[in-house]
Amino acid sequence: MPTNKSVSKAPITQFVNCRILRDHKLQREDLWVREGRILDPEKLFFDEEGYADQRVDCEGLIIAPGFIDVQINGGYGIDFSQATSNVRGGVALVAKKILEHGVTSFLPTLVTSPPNIYHKVLAEVKVHSGGVEGAGVLGCHLEGPFISLEKKGAHPEQYLRSFQSGGMLDLIETYGTLDNVAMVTLAPELPNSETVIRELAQRGITVSLGHSVANLSQAEEAVQNGASFITHLFNAMLPFHHRDPGIVGLLTSDQVPQDRTVFYGMIADGIHTNSAALRIAHRAHPTGLVLVTDAITAMGLPPGRHTLGQQVIEIQGLHAYVAGTKTLSGSIATMDMCVRHFKQASGCSVEQALEAASLHPAQLLGISHCKGTLDYGADADLVLLDDALNVRATYIAGQEVWRK
Amino acid sequence: MKLIILNDYDQVGEWAAKYIRNKIINFNPGPDRFFILGLPTGGTPLGCYKKLIEFYKKGEISFKYVKTFNMDEYVGIPRNHPESYHSFMWNNLFKHIDIKSENTHILDGNAANLVEECDSFEEKIKAAGGIDLFVGGIGPDGHIAFNEPGSSLLSRTRVKTLAQDTILANARFFDGDLSKVPTMALTVGVATVMDAREVMILITGVHKAFALYKAIEEGVNHMWTVSAFQQHPQTVFVCDEDATLELRVKTVKYFRGMMHVHNKLVDPLPPK
């Protein structure tokens, strides 16, 4: 017979009347949480003879793992690439606001910047768990400066760099530190990139290919050296060509090692990628699709004109233009908008749409044992949604951190 | 015996669940007076369990003062294996109702000493005051629990090697792979179930028809162990029409004719 001893005296919460995303399906099951983690109720029943202390009635809502945004440059007037007097405060503000979009973990992203910015910001932004104060920071995403001049996009040309000192030395000199860095986007065609990619991958830092003119073989070699992500597929890279698919060809490449998956970021705001292109990518490689917002400072601000740094931006609906022009200045869609748009544009299932924002980014970052799933033992970072995939409530470590 | 003949599987599940519900309510259990229920696993009682869960959710019944003893469990598969009887009971009944874990008893197929585990199970039943209602099913070979053909009608809880028929019948729960099906189980004995104050056997489907015929129209025989219940003073057999296909027309007509009386047993009880 099972033992009568209790493993823990911590209170147990049982979410009832809900549909949970488990084993890639929405199932009518209760969700049990103790000490911030998903609990196995069968084990609790037979081993500990335990039961719930508290029940939360979800009124038929969907419970999905909290969303993870691996590319977000700021929002609500905050720009992560600015070394303001209150870097931490800025990150914290965004972290708090994105709870409303169902995001429970994120990578504050820095675009190409001069070394002093990296030194200042990286000293302030630390990996830390989320909670009522805001979504958790899993580390920073450094998008640049080791990128291609031709594909710099909106990045400032004067701060682009190459691996002229041989590789890692350039990195350390530019960034100052690799502590609290979760991801680096670079262009693999830059000479000496191989050692950098290998070294970063060995340190557990995700290497992403982007802002690059690499051809498919260069991209494949980078993957073999350890690269595992593509930054905003289609944007800032060579277009797909049937005799050299370039980086886009990684989605169906047969040179990717068997035990590895190449993930790719998609900004599914209906603006940055044509829906047909989104569908081609999704159908070619559905399990690698990672939804990202790539949100800029203007995300979350009301429609109208805003002065952000040296620029004046005009927000009209989901479009952010350089004021007075029709030039897009970045994306302002929120993660939950991206999930809804992705589902509608691709015709995918609810489960696939939710996994693209939770399971896949967790797998990309190598943390799917504790994030991005509702498996027993995983962190209880949850998002409660209605059938139209609107966020109704957000939980971190089993604690409610936002409710509509 | 009472033979309750209903039209189909769903009706059997509903009738049986109502019977159990009424028994518990009439018993009026309390903190010093638990209702002791013996329970089976498998495809047959699933419909009954679904209905019991419905009744619980409607507030018609509570399992707070009910203790349960399951009939059997496989030897050697992990307790949280999806096909273990612990998992079956958790997923199909316990997790949906208000029963406390300490009031449920299922044999531990991973106990260090299986014989001691079986003896201790018998002790626990005794300590609880005996079983008020033992619910069971019937195998195509006429077995009750894992009391395979040839099991003594005086047997108690013990380790049994499973018959080939049973292993074949269970294969569908193990991806159709015979090598994955456990070959041994712990089971209550025929006499253990006979000791219950009342027994209810559920039988559905044409593949059980011959076993039902052997159980109630032929003699008491250790080759068809369910036949032992001919000698129990309070047995109810609940079956669907398909399960009666091997019975005499006379038997079926007689008991169908009694349905208007027997159905009173499942009428909703007046609120207290």
Side-chain angles (χ1 to χ4, degrees), chain B residues 41 79 82 125 130-131 139 144 155 157 164 186 199 211 217 223 258:
Chain B
T41 52
R79 200 213 53 223
I125 294 175
I131 310 261
I144 174 98
S155 52
T157 306
Q164 189 61 12
L186 304 183
V199 177
E217 285 188 341
M223 285 302 174
M258 299 277 287

Side-chain angles (χ1 to χ4, degrees), chain B residues 24-26 35 39 54 87 93 101 112 114 119 127 149 156 175 185 194 197 231 236 238:
Chain B
I24 294 176
I25 294 175
N26 280 331
F35 186 83
L39 293 176
E54 231 180 80
S87 292
L93 187 62
S101 173
L114 295 174
D119 292 344
R156 312 281 338 173
D175 301 321
M194 282 287 286
R197 286 178 271 288
Q231 300 201 291
V236 184
V238 188

Side-chain angles (χ1 to χ4, degrees), chain A residues 29-107:
Chain A
E29 285 287 347
D30 294 344
L31 189 74
W32 296 65
V33 175
R34 177 169 66 186
E35 289 178 308
R37 296 215 180 86
I38 313 282
L39 184 63
D40 180 349
E42 186 178 343
K43 207 157 183 292
L44 174 71
F45 186 83
F46 288 124
D47 276 348
E48 299 182 44
E49 298 185 345
Y51 44 86
D53 297 287
Q54 185 204 2
R55 280 202 173 84
V56 175
D57 186 347
C58 299
E59 295 168 352
L61 293 175
I62 294 170
I63 302 185
F67 300 146
I68 300 172
D69 193 353
V70 304
Q71 189 170 8
I72 167 173
N73 308 290
Y76 302 92
I78 305 293
D79 180 351
F80 296 144
S81 304
Q82 293 264 358
T84 64
S85 54
N86 187 8
V87 169
R88 272 198 209 164
V91 173
L93 193 157
V94 175
K96 174 102 183 154
K97 292 301 257 176
I98 59 181
L99 293 176
E100 296 172 31
H101 315 146
V103 178
T104 52
S105 305
F106 70 112
L107 304 188

Side-chain angles (χ1 to χ4, degrees), chain A residues 9-327:
Chain A
K9 299 239 179 327
I12 295 169
T13 307
Q14 182 186 4
F15 292 82
V16 301
N17 215 351
C18 51
R19 285 163 289 155
I20 69 173
L21 179 60
R22 188 174 277 160
D23 294 331
H24 312 293
K25 281 192 313 285
L26 280 182
Q27 314 185 16
R28 234 194 176 313
E29 285 287 347
D30 294 344
L31 189 74
W32 296 65
V33 175
R34 177 169 66 186
E35 289 178 308
R37 296 215 180 86
I38 313 282
L39 184 63
D40 180 349
E42 186 178 343
K43 207 157 183 292
L44 174 71
F45 186 83
F46 288 124
D47 276 348
E48 299 182 44
E49 298 185 345
Y51 44 86
D53 297 287
Q54 185 204 2
R55 280 202 173 84
V56 175
D57 186 347
C58 299
E59 295 168 352
L61 293 175
I62 294 170
I63 302 185
F67 300 146
I68 300 172
D69 193 353
V70 304
Q71 189 170 8
I72 167 173
N73 308 290
Y76 302 92
I78 305 293
D79 180 351
F80 296 144
S81 304
Q82 293 264 358
T84 64
S85 54
N86 187 8
V87 169
R88 272 198 209 164
V91 173
L93 193 157
V94 175
K96 174 102 183 154
K97 292 301 257 176
I98 59 181
L99 293 176
E100 296 172 31
H101 315 146
V103 178
T104 52
S105 305
F106 70 112
L107 304 188
T109 305
L110 276 74
V111 297
T112 296
S113 304
N116 65 294
I117 296 282
Y118 290 117
H119 293 194
K120 172 104 202 276
V121 173
L122 288 178
E124 298 283 334
V125 181
K126 308 277 187 222
V127 171
H128 65 263
S129 307
V132 284
E133 341 72 49
V137 170
L138 298 171
C140 291
H141 175 177
L142 306 179
E143 189 190 5
F146 302 99
I147 56 175
S148 151
L149 175 61
E150 284 171 63
K151 291 293 179 185
K152 65 178 174 25
H155 291 223
E157 181 172 337
Q158 66 271 39
Y159 299 124
L160 259 49
R161 292 186 64 144
S162 62
F163 303 117
Q164 54 204 32
S165 307
M168 286 308 287
L169 243 57
D170 301 280
L171 242 72
I172 304 292
E173 194 184 70
T174 307
Y175 298 143
T177 175
L178 286 173
D179 293 342
N180 300 298
V181 173
M183 189 182 296
V184 172
T185 292
L186 51 77
E189 71 275 15
L190 294 179
N192 298 325
S193 74
E194 307 81 17
T195 46
V196 172
I197 295 172
R198 256 184 253 126
E199 175 75 31
L200 286 173
Q202 240 169 30
R203 290 190 192 211
I205 296 175
T206 304
V207 178
S208 184
L209 309 179
H211 289 276
S212 156
V213 294
N215 59 34
L216 182 56
S217 336
Q218 287 166 326
E220 283 167 341
E221 196 187 313
V223 169
Q224 280 155 4
N225 283 327
S228 55
F229 195 46
I230 302 172
T231 299
H232 46 54
L233 186 77
F234 297 127
N235 301 107
M237 57 187 63
L238 292 175
F240 175 88
H241 184 284
H242 54 286
R243 274 191 295 280
D244 189 349
I247 292 176
V248 178
L250 284 177
L251 265 58
T252 49
S253 164
D254 57 1
Q255 299 302 309
V256 174
Q258 287 280 39
D259 54 335
R260 300 212 6 237
T261 302
V262 174
F263 293 90
Y264 56 100
M266 296 279 339
I267 307 171
D269 63 350
I271 297 164
H272 282 75
T273 304
N274 181 289
S275 301
L278 174 63
R279 283 190 287 273
I280 287 177
H282 169 62
R283 286 181 205 174
H285 183 25
T287 51
L289 200 151
V290 172
L291 292 173
V292 301
T293 58
D294 201 10
I296 56 161
T297 317
M299 184 269 284
L301 297 179
R305 289 191 172 218
H306 304 274
T307 304
L308 300 167
Q310 308 306 314
Q311 278 200 308
V312 184
I313 309 277
E314 178 149 10
I315 297 176
Q316 293 170 14
L318 264 186
H319 291 72
Y321 300 108
V322 177
T325 76
K326 280 291 171 193
T327 305

